[in-house]
Amino acid sequence: MKLRRTKNIVVITIAACCSFTSCYDSALDFEQNGVIMGGSVDSIAAPELAMMYMREAQQRVIDTREHKYQYQFNLHIDDYAGYMSISHNFEGRMASSFAFYSDFCGGPWANFTWTAQQVVPVMNSAEKLGIKPIGAMATILYAYSAHQLANIHGPFPFKDFRALKEDHPLTYDKVSDIYTWTFEYLDQAIATLEEYKQKPNSETDDLIEKMDIIANVTGASAIVDQWIKFSNSLRLRMAMDIVKVDGYTYKGMTAQRIAEDAVNNHGGVLKAGDPTIGIDPSKKSAGIEYHPLFTISKGWNDTRLNASLENILKRTESPLLGRWFNKNKSALTSKVGVVTPLGSEYMGIRSGVYLEDRSKDRTYKVFSDLSEITMRMSISLIKVEEVLFLQAEGALRGWNMGGTPQSFYEAGIHESFMKNGMSEPDYDAYMKFQGMGSLANAEKSKKTAYKDYYEADNDLPRWDGYFQLNNAYSSIDGNPYTSVPSDQMKELSLEKIITQKWIALFPMSVVAWTDHRRTGYPRLIPGCDAAYGDADGSIFGEEIDWNTGETLNKNEVLTIRRLPYSTGGAKEVLTDIETTGLNALNESGTSKGDVQGTRLWWDIDKSNF
């Protein structure tokens, strides 16, 4: 992706809006339909222009435009995280959700490029223009986007993008270096914001108030505080990502020390009751009416509830299933003639099912779509709930998080319930549920085994990965699955924390997918056996003993570990990947190449404790 220059004017890409019908142009074509904004790559002429760039950037980190969000997350990562799955084959381009279609996989890269185009000139010009705190906020957005892209693809040209380098060759940087530089950027940004808090000025305060659309607080001072918490919360997220990496330090600090510093110093992290960091469509501060995923699901019929989210919400008896999703939108006749009446079942699509053409109405498009309530859910960058669960995991690991694992675990579930419009009685009932492993729920557990109402061959009647645990942190409730020896209790507690965090994160699929890769939790329903033939040959299906439900090949690469690079057939891009990308991708010495099964630097195949 390149910036196109016209003398001292930068053409910033803003793709034409899609109507309420789906469209499938290539992510590599996103540079069309630009609008002109004054400025240059290296500098911005006025503080007001920096404010405009920043408002645009905040809408590109998690793209607010439906079609771009679809390319950024929904055509691939939403499925890998177990949240949503595509409902048809996109005119034959996606035989199943495990297929790699290059044009559909360029969205994350494109969005990072757009964000960089907006924030780098602000970063370069902030001191000269006397708006250093806005430059710090631009730095935070660059750091957030870099971390997100590194967790999707792996290595990328961090330094070259920071310089807005236009011409190849581009040098791919190792993920470990990207993490180090991102920590450094966040430290610098926090220091700048703390310095500004000591000597604010009315002109900059006014710009901050006009610029910000993600803090969801009023007044420049409160906005600055919220951005500091945003930065520290991101530091905590990143520290947890690298918890399995032996020997890594940043300025002499281990992952534990980075996390403890984020929580306990420099303004701390988001707290219970704080607003979500993200764009709230109900406020229309950015001119956004709907969460883009709602349109993709409800208006375009391109995505449906994933089997894993359906199953875990059922197995925890979460009221969020009925709040977020609708039952089947019309009657469904299975391939063997069994009819399921309209509106009778919540239906999730198992990853990797064989997909049919969108012209066929009574197939997976009938499965559960998003409810109207999700229309105005936050386009979130970081949720308070996530931070509370991060602290729960940190405390479980013996880190100083300022509380116990149980206190943060319970606070995370409570925060999620309150943010989603649930009541205190809803929360109390949820925490009392003994789980599907309870002897009293044995028959109920069988009934919640995954069922594909269209293709019965995809049913999963017996599987040892089904979530059986209770919702309370304590194990004293008559569920034998939660009564484990003391040496197994930490692992069981981690599974609870990550599973409940995964529910609360919805639909933040990159974060959820990262947690699943690094911990193995939640236990996502395995993809359909045949679908692994649609993948690139680097991942394998689970072999299940159908008499016992036991998974036999637990050590195989059973899930997609990364999104391969999308080259669009460009020779110079492929040359860059071959010259520096593949070597950077192999920094742990375990790479299979630019494929779905290659583990990233922090994704280490070893126990959680």
Side-chain angles (χ1 to χ4, degrees):
M1 301 288 289
K2 293 183 180 179
L3 278 171
R4 304 190 303 282
R5 298 191 190 188
T6 307
K7 296 183 180 178
N8 287 329
I9 295 176
V10 180
V11 179
I12 303 296
T13 300
I14 302 177
C17 295
C18 289
S19 63
F20 222 59
T21 58
S22 181
C23 39
Y24 315 119
D25 58 324
S26 166
L28 300 176
D29 294 332
F30 282 179
E31 286 190 329
Q32 298 172 0
N33 306 314
V35 298
I36 295 176
M37 298 172 66
S40 72
V41 171
D42 299 320
S43 64
I44 292 176
E48 291 77 13
L49 189 58
M51 181 266 292
M52 292 171 60
Y53 272 57
M54 283 293 288
R55 286 182 66 86
E56 178 76 12
Q58 290 167 84
Q59 297 180 64
R60 299 297 158 255
V61 177
I62 306 295
D63 209 308
T64 59
R65 301 168 296 181
E66 295 92 344
H67 189 41
K68 311 317 172 192
Y69 185 100
Q70 187 176 33
Y71 277 91
Q72 191 179 12
F73 303 116
N74 185 245
L75 289 166
H76 28 69
I77 298 167
D78 285 357
D79 181 84
Y80 308 161
Y83 281 157
M84 305 291 290
S85 195
I86 55 177
S87 56
H88 59 87
N89 66 18
F90 290 82
E91 285 73 53
R93 285 174 278 187
M94 292 286 286
S96 81
S97 61
F98 282 7
F100 175 77
Y101 182 66
S102 182
D103 282 2
F104 284 176
C105 295
W109 193 284
N111 275 88
F112 178 81
T113 305
W114 291 329
T115 303
Q117 289 170 357
Q118 306 297 323
V119 300
V120 168
V122 179
M123 295 162 68
N124 290 343
S125 307
E127 185 168 7
K128 177 189 68 176
L129 295 175
I131 52 169
K132 288 179 66 176
I134 293 178
M137 293 170 179
T139 301
I140 293 166
L141 293 182
Y142 189 93
Y144 184 102
S145 298
H147 171 243
Q148 180 170 256
L149 188 63
N151 280 6
I152 293 171
H153 288 300
F156 72 90
F158 180 103
K159 285 190 171 181
D160 284 345
F161 279 138
R162 171 63 181 86
L164 293 183
K165 183 180 178 183
E166 298 189 36
D167 300 314
H168 295 275
L170 300 175
T171 301
Y172 284 62
D173 297 302
K174 295 187 298 184
V175 174
S176 59
D177 288 336
I178 292 169
Y179 265 70
T180 294
W181 297 330
T182 301
F183 280 130
E184 185 174 358
Y185 276 29
L186 292 171
D187 280 358
Q188 292 170 355
I190 291 169
T192 298
L193 293 176
E194 288 181 322
E195 179 183 356
Y196 179 74
K197 280 173 60 68
Q198 304 305 312
K199 293 182 179 180
N201 66 76
S202 59
E203 293 83 1
T204 304
D205 278 357
D206 183 58
L207 283 173
I208 288 171
E209 291 181 31
K210 291 177 179 177
M211 175 277 301
D212 170 71
I213 56 175
I214 63 172
N216 296 300
V217 293
T218 57
S221 178
I223 291 170
V224 170
D225 285 340
Q226 190 76 336
W227 279 76
I228 290 174
K229 290 181 180 180
F230 175 20
S231 302
N232 279 318
S233 299
L234 180 55
R235 292 172 69 213
L236 177 59
R237 177 194 285 178
M238 292 176 60
M240 199 62 73
D241 287 351
I242 59 175
V243 70
K244 288 186 177 181
V245 180
D246 292 330
Y248 176 81
T249 60
Y250 164 68
K251 293 185 175 179
M253 295 191 294
T254 61
Q256 176 178 348
R257 286 292 302 119
I258 295 167
E260 291 174 342
D261 185 67
V263 169
N264 299 307
N265 299 314
H266 313 294
V269 294
L270 293 169
K271 304 290 194 299
D274 282 345
T276 297
I277 299 292
I279 296 174
D280 182 351
S282 67
K283 295 181 178 179
K284 299 185 179 180
S285 57
I288 308 301
E289 281 194 84
Y290 308 133
H291 192 290
L293 190 58
F294 173 79
T295 301
I296 297 166
S297 174
K298 194 73 173 177
W300 300 350
N301 294 320
D302 283 354
T303 191
R304 292 290 180 263
L305 170 65
N306 185 281
S308 290
L309 185 56
E310 173 218 340
N311 189 262
I312 289 178
L313 290 177
K314 284 180 177 177
R315 298 185 73 82
T316 57
E317 294 205 335
S318 174
L320 294 172
L321 178 60
R323 188 163 183 84
W324 289 339
F325 294 95
N326 297 313
K327 293 182 178 180
N328 54 305
K329 63 186 300 182
S330 64
L332 176 65
T333 302
S334 74
K335 287 188 174 180
V336 295
V338 177
V339 177
T340 305
L342 162 69
S344 57
E345 300 289 345
Y346 291 105
M347 298 182 179
I349 301 176
R350 189 173 169 185
S351 295
V353 300
Y354 175 75
L355 296 166
E356 299 182 9
D357 190 83
R358 66 178 290 112
S359 62
K360 296 183 178 181
D361 290 331
R362 303 290 173 124
T363 61
Y364 288 109
K365 292 196 300 180
V366 172
F367 280 44
S368 293
D369 60 2
L370 286 171
S371 73
E372 284 71 12
I373 289 173
T374 65
M375 184 186 305
R376 292 190 172 86
M377 63 183 172
S378 171
I379 305 168
S380 305
L381 277 68
I382 287 188
K383 294 184 179 184
V384 176
E385 302 95 301
E386 176 194 353
V387 176
L388 292 167
F389 283 116
L390 283 167
Q391 289 175 277
E393 182 179 353
L396 181 67
R397 295 181 180 280
W399 301 358
N400 177 16
M401 297 286 100
T404 65
Q406 181 171 347
S407 67
F408 287 121
Y409 172 85
E410 292 171 351
I413 297 174
H414 185 270
E415 188 77 16
S416 177
F417 269 52
M418 297 304 106
K419 287 284 201 307
N420 282 286
M422 300 287 103
S423 67
E424 292 290 347
D426 291 329
Y427 169 77
D428 292 339
Y430 185 76
M431 299 305 288
K432 291 176 182 176
F433 178 60
Q434 293 187 5
M436 290 299 177
S438 168
L439 296 179
N441 290 327
E443 289 303 312
K444 185 186 293 185
S445 180
K446 292 178 183 178
K447 292 178 181 178
T448 55
Y450 175 68
K451 180 178 180 179
D452 185 327
Y453 290 87
Y454 182 62
E455 174 55 87
D457 287 348
N458 297 327
D459 290 355
L460 198 61
R462 296 177 66 88
W463 177 50
D464 64 352
Y466 280 130
F467 191 72
Q468 304 280 30
L469 307 180
N470 59 338
N471 293 339
Y473 193 81
S474 169
S475 64
I476 306 173
D477 63 359
N479 182 341
Y481 283 86
T482 64
S483 300
V484 298
S486 58
D487 62 341
Q488 297 178 28
M489 185 58 69
K490 285 181 73 173
E491 191 68 33
L492 181 147
S493 298
L494 180 64
E495 180 173 4
K496 285 187 177 186
I497 289 167
I498 299 299
T499 301
Q500 295 293 343
K501 177 186 178 185
W502 176 80
I503 294 171
L505 280 169
F506 177 78
M508 297 173 64
S509 55
V510 176
V511 186
W513 182 37
T514 299
D515 280 344
H516 175 69
R517 287 177 287 171
R518 71 176 178 87
T519 68
Y521 303 127
R523 302 179 195 229
L524 302 179
I525 287 180
C528 302
D529 293 342
Y532 289 88
D534 297 324
D536 63 10
S538 63
I539 58 173
F540 307 92
E542 289 190 355
E543 183 182 355
I544 298 173
D545 184 329
W546 292 108
N547 293 316
T548 65
E550 181 184 4
T551 302
L552 301 178
N553 55 337
K554 295 179 185 292
N555 294 322
E556 296 282 9
V557 181
L558 301 174
T559 190
I560 294 173
R561 315 304 302 190
R562 62 179 288 272
L563 193 65
Y565 299 116
S566 177
T567 67
K571 291 183 179 179
E572 62 268 30
V573 175
L574 184 59
T575 298
D576 288 345
I577 293 170
E578 292 175 342
T579 304
T580 58
L582 295 181
N583 184 58
L585 188 60
N586 194 36
E587 67 175 305
S588 299
T590 60
S591 174
K592 298 172 179 287
D594 180 23
V595 294
Q596 295 168 319
T598 287
R599 291 176 180 268
L600 300 182
W601 165 71
W602 47 263
D603 180 10
I604 299 172
D605 187 15
K606 69 178 183 181
S607 62
N608 287 311
F609 296 100

